[in-house]
Amino acid sequence: MGRGKPAGAREGARGTPVAPLGGVRRLASASLGLLLLGCTAGSGDDTGPSLDGGFTGSTGNTGNTGNTGNTGNTGNTGNTGNTGNTGGELTCEPGTADCDHVRDNGCEADLNSDDHCGACGHACILPNAEGSCNGTAGCLIKTCLDGFADCDDDDATGCEQEVGAPSNACSGPDDLGSIAGDSGSDSTSPRQGTGSRWVRVRVTEEYSWNPFYDLSASLRLEVPADGDYDLTIWDSCGGRALASAHKSGEGVDEQLCVTWSDTFNEDDSRTLLIEIHFTSGGSCDPWTLTVTGAVSC
């Protein structure tokens, strides 16, 4: 008699013994556990079952989602264009430029204009002057403001010289010295200057014993071609005007003459205050003042 089959064993195909069902269940359970363990450890499935039968999320997988976003940086791609100018910098004709960086209107700026003189945003503005753009020559002086002049011949500095400003006051005039007012024809040395100025001259009496010699003084102011000046003679600061000349027009010379009577046996000498007043113009050239005594007015 042969050996019998183990208890619980079944016969498979062609009589091959089959393992008991209990062992198969244990083997299947162990294999499922390993499979689930592999999913939980790093499969990327955030909702897979855990070994204890529940559901858990994978905190590490959150970082993986962020990494995938790095493959497309949409914010940086916008830097390749500038207000529609995705084709890069325009090539402009000489004398023009794309100053507003808007491709649709092309090279809109004229580099010979006062707003863009030779370069974008280079406005033609000069000190005390009205400027005018001259292309490659840059910004040139068109005209000076009244009372200013371009005395250094440099367009870049504009009209740098204020020729109309007063250089002194009545209380501190330039002293021209003295001349005889009743004899000879004495003249002061020519005095030159620019702008408004006060000067004084002493007109003396030489023949106080002779009442037939009146005293007089003649003033001549030669002005530059593009300067207009007025001339006034005062008896004192803030006092009475003895004579004045207000010819209108630049380049017109001014001339005044004053006379007063001789008093017998008294000194009739006088100090005259002369005001040279700038009215308009813009010349670097000076005016010239000359005072002559004992003339016929």
Side-chain angles (χ1 to χ4, degrees):
M1 219 174 129
R3 288 181 297 177
K5 295 190 285 286
R10 294 184 297 118
E11 226 176 57
R14 300 181 181 178
T16 303
V18 179
L21 292 176
V24 172
R25 292 191 185 97
R26 289 191 299 272
L27 178 60
S29 177
S31 298
L32 178 60
L34 290 174
L35 178 61
L36 295 177
L37 180 61
C39 292
T40 304
S43 66
D45 184 0
D46 291 343
T47 59
S50 64
L51 288 176
D52 59 3
F55 288 83
T56 182
S58 175
T59 305
N61 291 337
T62 304
N64 292 337
T65 303
N67 291 336
T68 59
N70 293 333
T71 60
N73 191 342
T74 57
N76 292 334
T77 57
N79 293 332
T80 60
N82 192 353
T83 318
N85 190 6
T86 57
E89 186 175 352
L90 292 174
T91 300
C92 298
E93 294 292 330
T96 65
D98 176 25
C99 292
D100 63 3
H101 304 295
V102 177
R103 191 174 183 83
D104 291 344
N105 61 8
C107 302
E108 85 295 339
D110 179 6
L111 297 185
N112 195 35
S113 66
D114 292 342
D115 291 332
H116 306 285
C117 187
C120 290
H122 184 233
C124 193
I125 300 175
L126 298 175
N128 310 311
E130 180 183 349
S132 178
C133 184
N134 191 20
T136 56
C139 191
L140 304 181
I141 297 173
K142 184 177 180 180
T143 182
C144 292
L145 298 182
D146 193 35
F148 292 88
D150 174 28
C151 297
D152 62 2
D153 293 324
D154 186 357
D155 287 280
T157 60
C159 301
E160 82 292 342
Q161 185 67 43
E162 187 177 3
V163 296
S167 56
N168 61 5
C170 179
S171 57
D174 296 343
D175 192 358
L176 299 183
S178 63
I179 57 174
D182 58 358
S183 66
S185 293
D186 287 348
S187 295
T188 63
S189 298
R191 176 61 58 92
Q192 292 187 326
T194 59
S196 298
R197 185 172 295 191
W198 288 84
V199 298
R200 71 183 174 194
V201 62
R202 180 71 174 172
V203 181
T204 62
E205 181 183 21
E206 299 298 319
Y207 300 108
S208 60
W209 53 268
N210 191 338
F212 300 105
Y213 289 96
D214 292 341
L215 286 79
S216 63
S218 174
L219 285 69
R220 178 175 177 83
L221 181 68
E222 300 176 61
V223 302
D226 50 353
D228 186 10
Y229 290 84
D230 292 338
L231 190 61
T232 305
I233 301 175
W234 302 84
D235 64 354
S236 61
C237 289
R240 181 170 61 95
L242 301 177
S244 61
H246 303 283
K247 296 179 182 178
S248 61
E250 296 178 359
V252 180
D253 295 341
E254 304 285 358
Q255 190 161 348
L256 285 177
C257 188
V258 291
T259 183
W260 58 98
S261 299
D262 177 27
T263 304
F264 181 70
N265 255 2
E266 290 186 9
D267 186 3
D268 296 302
S269 301
R270 283 186 183 178
T271 298
L272 302 180
L273 282 170
I274 304 167
E275 179 187 10
I276 303 169
H277 179 69
F278 172 83
T279 301
S280 65
S283 176
C284 300
D285 297 327
W287 44 254
T288 302
L289 176 66
T290 305
V291 183
T292 304
V295 296
S296 178
C297 293

